[in-house]
Amino acid sequence: MSQEQAMGGEGGAGGEENMAAWLMGIKNLQIQPYHLPPLGPHDVKVRVKTLGICGSDVHHFKTMRCASFIVKKPMVIGHECAGIIEEVGSKVKTLAVGERVALEPGISCRRCHLCKEGRYNLCPEMKFFGSPPTNGALANKVVHPAYLCYKLPDNVSLEEGAMCEPLSVGVHACRRANISTDTNVLIIGSGPIGLVTLLAARAFGAPRVIVVDVDEHRLSFAKRLGADEVVEVSTDMQLVGQELTQIKDTAGCNIHVTFDCVGYNKTISTALNATHPGGRVCLIGLASTEMTVPLMAGAAREIDVMGIFRYRNTWPLCIDLLRTGKIDVKPLITHRFGFTQGEVEQAFETSASGGKAIKVMFNL
């Protein structure tokens, strides 16, 4: 299976060498050969055509770790991808050579109690593209289980197919938080995940969405994507009391659900204090591995605090939201690069530097 792919050797028909972007060390990416395993009967071989850089990829690139996931040996990076099927296993009946697909990057065991309950995203044996020790998908070709490859409609591009992965985070969060037509939403953080959460909340019917960030450019982006109001807060977050008053005044309504798409002590504190009694706080961001927060501020007002980890059963809905035009992710793609050594390095530096980059996309 794809999680066992290893460095070296050749892959592809006729001895064509399969190349991938290997993370060798801090800020050290090298395009080198990537040997693919034999195609299993339930697998497909996909020529990767588009791949987006995720925040977790940037953490791995900058520090060789993301939260508790630590890169201990060279690893192919990347997981937000779509491509074209080049070969199918002998028992694959639902997909055919030449079809365009979006790939769900996590392979669960399908045997543990969490998988059997449908909560496969929490599987302790999950093998996830580009999450150590599993190799990722920034490569010419990958082998992946057919059941995790979803056909794209004619009016959904391969770039949009790759965007199903980050969009799935927003969709899963909105499902967990029960967003509906009577749910006013506050989103803390307007990076890529905050923005897809905004798009998902709108698609789920949220009547009012307010976005908070320290970055004026990203807030203007959120406004263009449909945020009702945006609030710029101080970079040191020392004026939380005043900022809370500003957020509540700007909202002009009760906040029923707050999504923390950052994950710092003070952003979670802000979320707990800004949310209306009886509301919900959904933790998406993973900036800190350990936090100290004033939970009594939420407990005394019966605030439900919930976490999300990746997503589950989201690709069909994401594809349908794109197909019907209920969500448009194309404006999020701000930078595009090819698949050469220089462009791979430049793409990751662009994404890591922040600035005006929202979603950096490779076109292989």
Side-chain angles (χ1 to χ4, degrees):
M1 300 295 292
S2 57
Q3 64 267 27
E4 303 299 334
Q5 295 164 1
M7 192 184 243
E10 293 185 343
E16 178 189 354
E17 195 165 40
N18 185 47
M19 305 298 286
W22 291 84
L23 180 62
M24 311 297 289
I26 291 177
K27 293 190 174 182
N28 181 5
L29 285 165
Q30 300 292 327
I31 295 181
Q32 295 187 10
Y34 183 23
H35 181 63
L36 297 180
L39 192 71
H42 299 284
D43 296 337
V44 293
K45 183 181 290 184
V46 179
R47 179 173 287 277
V48 179
K49 300 297 290 184
T50 56
L51 184 140
I53 297 178
C54 175
S56 62
D57 297 326
V58 172
H59 280 297
H60 288 135
F61 173 69
K62 293 171 68 174
T63 66
M64 296 291 281
R65 70 178 299 158
C66 181
S68 59
F69 298 93
I70 302 171
V71 182
K72 297 180 179 180
K73 62 180 182 179
M75 178 187 77
V76 177
I77 203 163
H79 58 270
E80 302 177 359
C81 60
I84 299 174
I85 293 177
E86 287 207 342
E87 189 177 349
V88 299
S90 60
K91 294 186 178 180
V92 174
K93 307 301 181 185
T94 57
L95 297 171
V97 172
E99 290 184 321
R100 302 176 315 125
V101 291
L103 282 66
E104 182 173 351
I107 306 172
S108 63
C109 76
R110 308 178 80 183
R111 297 182 301 274
C112 69
H113 74 280
L114 289 165
C115 285
K116 290 180 178 180
E117 291 170 1
R119 307 185 75 179
Y120 65 87
N121 58 312
L122 304 179
C123 174
E125 296 182 31
M126 176 70 75
K127 295 176 174 61
F128 192 91
F129 273 156
S131 182
T134 307
N135 285 321
L138 185 47
N140 298 128
K141 301 178 184 181
V142 295
V143 169
H144 206 51
Y147 78 93
L148 293 172
C149 298
Y150 300 84
K151 285 189 281 190
L152 295 174
D154 291 341
N155 67 335
V156 175
S157 70
L158 285 163
E159 285 191 338
E160 291 172 288
M163 289 294 293
C164 283
E165 199 280 339
L167 180 58
S168 285
V169 177
V171 165
H172 181 51
C174 287
R175 279 177 171 170
R176 284 271 289 155
N178 295 320
I179 301 303
S180 66
T181 54
D182 59 359
T183 314
N184 296 320
V185 170
L186 172 67
I187 297 173
I188 301 176
S190 57
I193 294 301
L195 294 174
V196 294
T197 303
L198 161 63
L199 293 173
R202 277 292 189 227
F204 276 61
R208 194 158 178 78
V209 181
I210 299 90
V211 180
V212 175
D213 204 304
V214 300
D215 189 299
E216 180 182 5
H217 171 71
R218 293 200 168 189
L219 286 174
S220 66
F221 213 97
K223 189 72 174 177
R224 293 198 300 273
L225 287 178
D228 293 290
E229 301 291 345
V230 296
V231 181
E232 185 177 356
V233 295
S234 59
T235 54
D236 59 11
M237 292 295 287
Q238 293 303 308
L239 304 176
V240 171
Q242 296 176 33
E243 290 167 346
L244 276 172
T245 300
Q246 180 191 4
I247 290 166
K248 290 179 178 179
D249 289 347
T250 301
C253 62
N254 294 326
I255 300 297
H256 302 117
V257 174
T258 299
F259 293 104
D260 181 359
C261 299
V262 182
Y264 287 123
N265 284 351
K266 289 179 178 177
T267 58
I268 294 177
S269 298
T270 298
L272 289 168
N273 286 298
T275 305
H276 192 64
R280 300 177 291 282
V281 170
C282 187
L283 309 180
I284 303 177
L286 297 172
S288 301
T289 55
E290 295 184 6
M291 286 166 281
T292 303
V293 296
L295 284 177
M296 290 307 297
R301 293 180 295 117
E302 293 193 356
I303 303 296
D304 292 335
V305 179
M306 62 185 66
I308 72 156
F309 186 62
R310 295 171 180 156
Y311 34 69
R312 56 179 178 266
N313 302 312
T314 52
W315 258 254
L317 176 57
C318 288
I319 290 172
D320 193 60
L321 290 169
L322 296 173
R323 179 188 63 82
T324 58
K326 293 179 180 178
I327 285 182
D328 182 7
V329 293
K330 294 188 292 292
L332 295 174
I333 305 170
T334 55
H335 295 73
R336 292 174 172 85
F337 292 88
F339 189 51
T340 65
Q341 180 66 41
E343 287 177 293
V344 167
E345 293 172 356
Q346 186 181 357
F348 271 86
E349 289 292 351
T350 299
S351 189
S353 65
K356 294 186 177 181
I358 301 294
K359 179 57 63 177
V360 177
M361 182 73 66
F362 289 102
N363 285 277
L364 283 75

